[in-house]
């Protein structure tokens, strides 16, 4: 989470460049059926007035509650067969798989998550999920990148020292205090287009507000160009009001009690006493009553942190069957009283721990139920989908923590802090009693996005998260005015059409299954729609109210089309070309074709064109749609001032003068030098 401040601790807004030379020049085979269904359903003019009755989750597609030993055995089996798996899914001779996680369904289906290496180098953005049936036949592969992982050479032309210097400069520009990097390693960078040999440099130290720094900078090892950067420390701000008198699980040895929870993986709570590194001192005393409800007693913050950790553990275990952050039965640990007047909290996967500051003037420790749920959920994301903490994937990462933190708050059912869809509602960080974020209408915080647009990826991840937060609220509760636990909500939709919710419990199950079996490190909002639809189809079927509600909730935040009358029965169609094409730097235009042959009459006046391009300076690009008649429809103009990365946008074209059947082409040209990109995918959507 993040407070509304002008200081951008984890901001990933587009970076400006001081000298950009201008020389102007005038369907996927083997995709799973459910995922295919997610992109083939059509649009309707209104949400269903009365859809099919909700059904219980299909037990065959429900993840089993694995014991740590069962999970470890499945991981060992996957590791023993990883070479055969790599060959079966078509990886090259220099590529190897590294097992990361596994989910087993009741029908025997395995969802095995892998990372990848190439010639021994880590492939960042090369992660994938392989789905196999009971007989271990591969049914589907969900990839973070569809590009072939291959580079022309493995010898860098840029020195490590040069890459380190660049990264340190980037860290200092963002408030970093270190003059040297913590580590530099050679990798293959595949997350944003064509794989290239690169350096990953991590700069440690502290940020300007005292938050630990873990800035990752990716540098092209051939050209020295910065390709990507993201902050590895995932920060949050929370509810500073305590949860009242609660029951804690502690440990006793002789006459000494400690804040150790052996029933939940051995979670421990430590007192940093104003320090900023190490673990500090384990809370220990000669009685089992912790704190007195005041900030003058150091154990009060410890009790809140321990309570938040135990409720989050129980939420994941009892809601999803997950045993701890890594699903291996091992607890994380918590650190309180971090720094001096530190107004934040954060998750750090490298220490596998949550850390909480004491707030302004050390008066309001940020140790609370929703903070624990938010921060521990960053850990779950890191150990499942691994969503990159930047651009749209970063927004999904941050939203996942808001979504699951909200789930924890409702699960705990604590009278002192009842569940709601407001983030940070009790901290009064804005000084006027307003929450930090609103899930029902994110824009009410003044910065967050209510719905998707092509510029969402350029927002700070705490604000781009609004799209998914809004989706989750609509999926859970529906649109319009309502009161829940005494809080008034009034959620709008981007298309002005209503959404009927399916309840928070089902919405959580759909999001969690997508996170653990469908999302990858590079998942964007369009991918999230596909993944959540696939998850809803597996759990509740593709013809029920749940599936339709997922479609409608995404459409209501401007991602994809409406359900078409309840359950994907509309008349619309989506035509897709997944073939990747490199875009020459300051060169000739490329064209990619889609042939439509099953539609009579003319194309609609609201034909949608969805474009997915990775590019290091999107202002260079001119994009056109060419109809079957040869007529050109301009989608995007050249702009020398648009320095943001990538084009992930849906354009609406009045193509009523064109026949629907015929060959449609997307034409893309890079009209300035120094920046490169790749056309990853484009779609024609007939509503």
């Amino acid at each position: 989470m993040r407070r509304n401040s002008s200081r951008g601790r984890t901001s990933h807004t587009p970076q400006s460049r001081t000298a950009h030379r201008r020389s102007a020049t005038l369907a996927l085979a083997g995709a799973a059926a459910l995922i295919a269904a997610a992109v083939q359903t059509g649009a309707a003019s209104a949400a269903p007035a009365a859809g099919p009755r909700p059904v219980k989750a299909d037990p065959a597609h429900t993840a089993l509650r694995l014991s740590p030993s069962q999970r470890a055995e499945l991981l060992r089996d996957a590791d023993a067969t990883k070479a055969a798996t790599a060959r079966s899914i078509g990886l090259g001779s220099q590529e190897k798989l590294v097992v990361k996680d596994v989910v087993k369904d009741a029908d025997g289906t395995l969802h095995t998550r892998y990372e990848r290496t190439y010639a021994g180098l880590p492939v960042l953005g090369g992660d994938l999920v392989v789905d196999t049936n009971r007989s271990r036949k591969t049914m589907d592969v969900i990839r973070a990148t569809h590009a072939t992982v291959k580079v022309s050479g493995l010898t860098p032309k840029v020195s490590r020292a040069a890459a380190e210097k660049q990264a340190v400069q980037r860290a200092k520009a963002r408030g970093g205090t270190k003059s040297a990097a913590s580590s530099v390693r050679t990798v293959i960078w595949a997350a944003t287009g064509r794989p290239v040999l690169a350096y990953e440099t991590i700069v440690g130290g502290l940020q300007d507000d005292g938050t630990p720094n873990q800035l990752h900078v990716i540098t092209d090892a051939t050209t020295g160009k910065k390709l990507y950067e993201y902050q590895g420390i995932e920060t949050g701000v929370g509810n500073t009001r305590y949860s009242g008198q609660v029951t804690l699980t502690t440990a006793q040895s002789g006459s000494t009690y400690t804040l150790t929870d052996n029933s939940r993986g051995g979670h421990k709570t430590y007192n940093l006493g104003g320090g900023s590194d190490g673990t500090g001192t384990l809370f220990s005393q000669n009685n089992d009553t912790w704190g007195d409800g005041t900030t003058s007693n150091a154990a009060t913050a410890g009790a809140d942190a321990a309570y938040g950790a135990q409720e989050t553990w129980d939420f994941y275990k009892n809601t999803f069957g997950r045993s701890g952050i890594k699903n291996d039965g091992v607890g994380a640990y918590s650190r309180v009283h971090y720094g001096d007047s530190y107004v934040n909290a954060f998750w750090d996967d490298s220490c596998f721990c949550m850390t909480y500051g004491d707030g302004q003037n050390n008066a309001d420790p940020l140790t609370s139920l929703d903070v624990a749920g938010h921060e521990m959920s960053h850990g779950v994301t890191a150990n499942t989908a691994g969503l990159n903490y930047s651009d749209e994937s970063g927004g999904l990462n941050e939203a996942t923590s808001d979504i699951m933190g909200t789930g924890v708050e409702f699960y705990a059912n604590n009278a002192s802090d009842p569940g709601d869809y407001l983030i940070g509602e009790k901290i009064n960080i804005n000084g006027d009693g307003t929450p930090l974020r609103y899930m029902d209408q994110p824009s009410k915080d003044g910065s967050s996005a209510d719905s998707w647009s092509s510029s969402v990826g350029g927002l700070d991840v705490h604000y781009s998260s609004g799209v998914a937060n809004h989706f989750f609220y609509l999926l859970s509760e529906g649109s319009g005015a309502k009161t829940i636990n005494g809080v008034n909500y009034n959620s709008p939709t981007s298309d002005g059409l209503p959404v009927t919710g399916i309840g928070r419990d089902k919405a959580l199950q759909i999001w969690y299954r997508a996170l653990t079996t469908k999302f990858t490190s590079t998942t964007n909002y369009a991918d999230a729609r596909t993944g959540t639809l696939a998850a809803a189809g597996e759990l509740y079927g593709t013809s029920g109210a749940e599936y339709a509600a997922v479609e409608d909730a995404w459409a209501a935040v401007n991602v994809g089309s409406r359900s078409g009358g309840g359950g994907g029965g509309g008349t619309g169609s989506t035509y897709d070309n997944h073939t990747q094409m490199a875009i020459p730097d300051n060169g000739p235009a490329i064209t990619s074709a889609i042939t439509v042959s099953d539609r009579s009459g003319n194309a609609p006046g609201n034909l949608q064109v969805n474009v997915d391009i990775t590019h290091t300076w999107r202002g260079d690009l001119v994009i056109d749609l060419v109809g079957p008649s040869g007529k050109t429809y301009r989608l995007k103009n050249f702009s020398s001032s648009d320095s943001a990365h990538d084009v992930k946008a849906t354009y609406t074209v009045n193509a009523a003068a064109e026949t629907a059947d015929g060959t449609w082409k997307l034409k893309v040209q890079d009209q300035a030098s120094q920046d490169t990109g790749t056309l990853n995918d484009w779609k024609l959507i007939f509503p």
Side-chain angles (χ1 to χ4, degrees):
M1 293 186 290
R2 178 192 173 97
R3 63 174 175 161
N4 192 3
S5 168
S6 61
R7 291 195 303 172
R9 291 189 300 277
T10 58
S11 174
H12 298 290
T13 52
Q15 302 299 321
S16 62
R17 52 181 174 180
T18 57
H20 182 74
R21 294 192 301 273
R22 297 279 151 196
S23 62
T25 62
L26 293 180
L28 185 60
L34 284 170
I35 291 183
V39 299
Q40 291 296 329
T41 51
S45 59
R53 297 181 65 182
V55 295
K56 291 183 178 179
D58 185 348
H61 295 298
T62 301
L64 293 175
R65 300 190 174 202
L66 300 174
S67 68
S69 61
Q70 289 173 324
R71 178 177 179 273
E73 182 179 358
L74 288 173
L75 291 173
R76 285 195 298 270
D77 290 345
D79 189 66
T81 58
K82 63 186 180 184
T85 300
R87 290 192 297 272
S88 72
I89 64 175
L91 298 191
S93 60
Q94 296 199 77
E95 297 175 80
K96 297 186 186 306
L97 293 174
V98 179
V99 183
K100 180 179 180 181
D101 194 19
V102 64
V103 174
K104 184 176 183 179
D105 292 348
D107 67 355
T109 300
L110 285 182
H111 310 270
T112 308
R113 188 178 294 276
Y114 299 92
E115 295 175 342
R116 196 182 336 181
T117 64
Y118 175 87
L121 299 176
V123 180
L124 306 186
D127 52 299
L128 48 89
V129 181
V130 178
D131 294 345
T132 55
N133 62 17
R134 184 185 293 272
S135 62
R136 297 301 162 255
K137 179 181 178 181
T138 298
M139 299 185 298
D140 187 38
V141 183
I142 302 170
R143 305 171 189 260
T145 178
H146 292 284
T148 299
V149 177
K150 185 177 181 180
V151 296
S152 58
L154 296 171
T155 302
K157 295 182 179 179
V158 174
S159 69
R160 285 175 177 259
E164 178 179 15
K165 181 179 179 181
Q166 179 189 69
V168 169
Q169 289 174 341
R170 288 296 312 129
K172 287 183 176 179
R174 297 172 58 158
T177 58
K178 286 286 186 179
S179 58
S182 302
S183 65
V184 185
R185 65 172 180 168
T186 307
V187 299
I188 304 297
W189 176 248
T192 54
R194 289 174 292 170
V196 297
L197 186 70
Y199 291 113
E200 180 192 33
T201 307
I202 302 176
V203 183
L206 299 175
Q207 299 177 54
D208 58 359
D209 68 342
T211 303
N213 197 51
Q214 204 177 90
L215 184 67
H216 295 240
V217 179
I218 311 299
T219 305
D220 191 314
T222 301
T223 66
K225 182 184 300 182
K226 180 181 77 71
L227 300 173
Y228 197 78
E229 68 179 61
Y230 69 94
Q231 179 57 251
I233 299 295
E234 293 154 354
T235 57
V237 206
N239 177 354
T240 58
R241 184 175 297 178
Y242 306 109
S243 299
Q245 191 173 58
V246 298
T247 300
L248 297 178
T249 302
T250 59
Q252 181 182 9
S253 177
S255 61
T256 302
Y257 296 86
T258 62
L259 278 183
T260 302
D261 189 346
N262 288 319
S263 68
R264 297 176 179 86
H267 176 274
K268 299 179 185 294
T269 305
Y270 294 93
N271 181 5
L272 280 172
S276 59
D277 55 23
T279 56
T281 305
L282 179 66
F283 276 99
S284 174
Q285 58 189 44
N286 60 9
N287 65 79
D288 207 15
T289 299
W290 301 88
D292 59 8
T294 69
T295 56
S296 61
N297 187 321
T300 299
D304 269 354
Y307 173 66
Q310 75 178 32
E311 289 300 307
T312 303
W313 178 286
D314 290 352
F315 163 74
Y316 274 101
K317 182 176 182 180
N318 296 326
T319 306
F320 309 118
R322 189 177 189 86
S323 181
I325 286 175
K326 288 187 176 180
N327 203 21
D328 60 358
V330 177
Y333 66 88
S334 297
R335 308 185 302 175
V336 300
H337 302 307
Y338 172 90
D340 182 18
S341 296
Y342 180 66
V343 191
N344 219 328
F346 58 89
W347 168 264
D348 185 349
D349 204 54
S350 66
C351 69
F352 203 61
C353 68
M354 291 85 66
T355 303
Y356 307 88
D358 283 330
Q360 191 66 41
N361 299 318
N362 297 315
D364 297 297
L366 280 75
T367 49
S368 68
L369 189 58
D370 55 354
V371 171
H374 180 104
E375 301 308 334
M376 290 180 75
S377 294
H378 275 310
V380 172
T381 297
N383 289 281
T384 54
L387 290 159
N388 290 335
Y389 204 56
S390 183
D391 302 324
E392 290 189 22
S393 60
L396 286 163
N397 186 320
E398 191 64 25
T400 295
S401 285
D402 281 352
I403 289 166
M404 294 303 176
T406 295
V408 170
E409 197 173 70
F410 275 99
Y411 171 85
N413 195 27
N414 186 298
S416 297
D417 189 8
D420 54 51
Y421 293 94
L422 307 175
I423 309 300
E425 71 278 2
K426 294 185 177 181
I427 194 171
N428 194 28
I429 196 70
N430 298 322
D432 56 5
T434 58
L436 186 64
R437 290 195 289 277
Y438 304 77
M439 298 184 85
D440 67 317
Q441 189 176 353
S443 63
K444 287 197 291 187
D445 68 10
S447 300
S448 293
D450 283 338
S451 57
W452 184 89
S453 71
S454 60
S455 62
V456 157
L459 298 177
D460 182 281
V461 296
H462 301 84
Y463 305 141
S464 61
S465 63
V467 180
N469 280 343
H470 194 192
F471 160 81
F472 178 79
Y473 175 86
L474 289 167
L475 183 62
S476 299
E477 306 293 348
S479 57
K482 51 182 57 67
T483 301
I484 304 166
N485 281 353
V487 179
N488 297 323
Y489 303 94
N490 192 359
S491 190
T493 60
S494 65
D495 58 6
L497 301 176
V499 173
T500 300
I502 59 174
R504 185 177 55 260
D505 291 344
K506 287 182 177 180
L508 283 167
Q509 292 294 337
I510 290 169
W511 192 266
Y512 178 78
R513 184 164 180 83
L515 177 76
T516 54
T517 67
K518 315 299 177 193
F519 292 176
T520 68
S521 62
T522 62
T523 293
N524 58 25
Y525 277 117
D527 299 329
R529 177 185 185 272
T530 300
T532 50
L533 280 172
E538 290 171 354
L539 292 174
Y540 305 108
T542 59
S543 60
E546 294 81 4
Y547 192 90
V550 172
E551 288 183 294
D552 291 340
W554 277 123
V557 295
N558 197 33
V559 182
S561 304
R562 285 268 174 170
S563 62
T571 59
S573 298
T574 297
Y575 303 84
D576 201 345
N577 188 331
H578 282 292
T579 303
Q580 285 193 318
M581 298 182 70
I583 303 169
D585 183 24
N586 196 23
I590 61 168
T591 57
S592 176
I594 290 176
T595 299
V596 177
S597 60
D598 57 353
R599 305 188 70 87
S600 60
N602 283 9
N606 60 340
L607 180 68
Q608 293 178 315
V609 186
N610 179 268
V611 179
D612 181 350
I613 294 173
T614 50
H615 197 276
T616 51
W617 185 290
R618 69 183 180 205
D620 291 357
L621 299 178
V622 173
I623 306 175
D624 294 305
L625 176 70
V626 182
S629 70
K631 182 178 179 179
T632 297
Y633 302 84
R634 176 59 49 91
L635 304 180
K636 178 191 174 300
N637 288 312
F638 175 91
S639 172
S640 61
S641 62
D642 185 0
S643 63
H645 292 225
D646 307 336
V647 178
K648 299 179 187 295
T650 299
Y651 303 94
T652 300
V653 175
N654 183 355
E658 300 281 347
T659 58
D661 281 358
T663 299
W664 299 77
K665 297 178 182 179
L666 189 75
K667 181 179 177 182
V668 183
Q669 185 176 23
D670 183 324
Q671 294 191 350
S673 61
Q674 293 191 358
D675 288 272
T676 59
T678 302
L679 171 63
N680 300 307
D681 175 85
W682 74 285
K683 301 178 180 69
L684 279 177
I685 303 170
F686 287 77

